[in-house]
Amino acid sequence: MEGKIETQTMDAMPEGKEGSSVKIKVLFFARARDLTGLSEMPMEVSSGSSAHDCLNDLVAKFPSLEEIRGCLVLALNEEYTTESAIVGDKDELAIIPPISGG
Amino acid sequence: MTPEEKTLVEILDEHNPIDLARYINYVTAPQAGAISTFSGTTRDSFEGKTVLELRYEAYKPMAIRCIKSICSSARSSWNLHSIAVAHRLGPVPVGITSVFIAISAVHRVDALDACKFVIDELKASVPIWKKEVYANGEVWKENSEFLERRLELGKKDGVGGGKDVEFEGHHRKGCCGAKVKVNGGGVANISTSHGWSSELE
């Protein structure tokens, strides 16, 4: 994803720190899936965005997620992550509402 | 692990019953004098409401990774021979097993303690969800063990951190509005080891 910075503006992109963006995949499980109506979706965010930034974008897009925001956790590429982690191109970000296995 | 010590982790797709004998056979070994098992089964009621079934789903690849990590952690804390963990997905009717753990060891104390550790850790950190289905509605359940651990999960050692993991004092009552929190799980607990001891209140 390094390389040329295109002059074209990306749709719905806030101005990135480096003017470039990364594409990630977002997964929704259980209550998060019920609230968004989606089990997964692609998402484009500015380079250098954190998992927290991604979550903010998601809550803006799906305001109903606010309901579980205080109790969910995030996983990046199949591992639990802090919200400060920076997402990279092709990363998989999972929205994990309270689990209830067993 | 020596070559004959084995770990088996399986997340079973819907309509595949858990074959308890298969997992017990898997961990059976001549050098192991003890096999401890835990079976979590669908209970018929929750707070007076009749439960028809539980419906499970998982973030499957991550769930398998998490369970394997818990098994490694158990091996680092106890002297174990083999471990088998199975969790079902999809609908699980009343009385039927949704999660099963079998652990063999030379001596029983290791097998018993590790078995309790594995189910407790599974409930706290493995991305699996269940919806409780009643005659007149349904609700996503929330494990109290997860809510206690939530803030630790993103940090290192948040998963399967060993038997001396300390819970920080976040005794939340559940944080998703009016939804029901599960104390001790939505499953009845049948175990050859300890009784259930994870309830908060």
Side-chain angles (χ1 to χ4, degrees), chain B residues 88-135:
Chain B
R88 247 184 106 163
L89 301 182
V92 180
V94 169
I96 304 298
T97 298
S98 52
V99 60
F100 189 68
I101 296 162
I103 300 181
S104 60
V106 175
H107 301 295
R108 74 180 185 286
V109 172
D110 292 294
L112 287 166
D113 289 356
C115 195
K116 172 166 164 45
F117 169 81
V118 171
I119 184 61
D120 287 350
E121 288 295 310
L122 184 149
K123 293 188 75 96
S125 67
V126 177
I128 298 176
W129 297 267
K130 66 171 160 270
K131 189 183 261 186
E132 204 163 60
V133 181
Y134 317 108

Side-chain angles (χ1 to χ4, degrees), chain A residues 29-67:
Chain A
F29 292 97
R31 182 123 185 90
R33 188 192 53 244
D34 288 352
L35 291 169
T36 61
L38 295 171
S39 54
E40 63 173 81
M41 65 170 240
M43 187 163 132
E44 194 167 343
V45 294
S46 347
S47 290
S49 292
S50 65
H52 181 81
D53 297 330
C54 296
L55 187 56
N56 281 343
D57 287 5
L58 287 166
V59 174
K61 187 173 170 63
F62 304 102
S64 57
L65 283 177
E66 194 64 56
E67 179 191 322

Side-chain angles (χ1 to χ4, degrees), chain A residues 27 29-31 33-34 67-68 70-73 75 77-82 92 94 96-102, chain B residues 56-59 61-62 65 87 123-126 128-130 140-143 146 150 153-154 159 175-176 179 187:
Chain A
L27 303 181
F29 292 97
R31 182 123 185 90
R33 188 192 53 244
D34 288 352
E67 179 191 322
I68 58 168
C71 57
L72 55 76
V73 292
N77 301 323
E78 301 177 2
E79 288 187 10
Y80 289 112
T81 183
T82 56
E92 184 173 276
I96 313 270
I99 62 169
S100 44
Chain B
Y56 287 90
E57 65 173 71
Y59 182 10
M62 180 172 167
R65 286 166 74 128
H87 203 302
K123 293 188 75 96
S125 67
V126 177
I128 298 176
W129 297 267
K130 66 171 160 270
W140 287 108
K141 307 296 285 192
E142 301 176 0
N143 289 346
F146 167 84
R150 188 178 68 84
L153 281 176
V159 177
C175 48
C176 290
K179 291 218 307 308
V187 295

Side-chain angles (χ1 to χ4, degrees), chain B residues 25-46:
Chain B
N25 289 339
Y26 179 87
V27 302
T28 299
Q31 57 274 56
I35 294 174
S36 175
T37 66
F38 172 84
S39 176
T41 59
T42 300
R43 190 171 51 218
D44 66 359
S45 66
F46 179 73

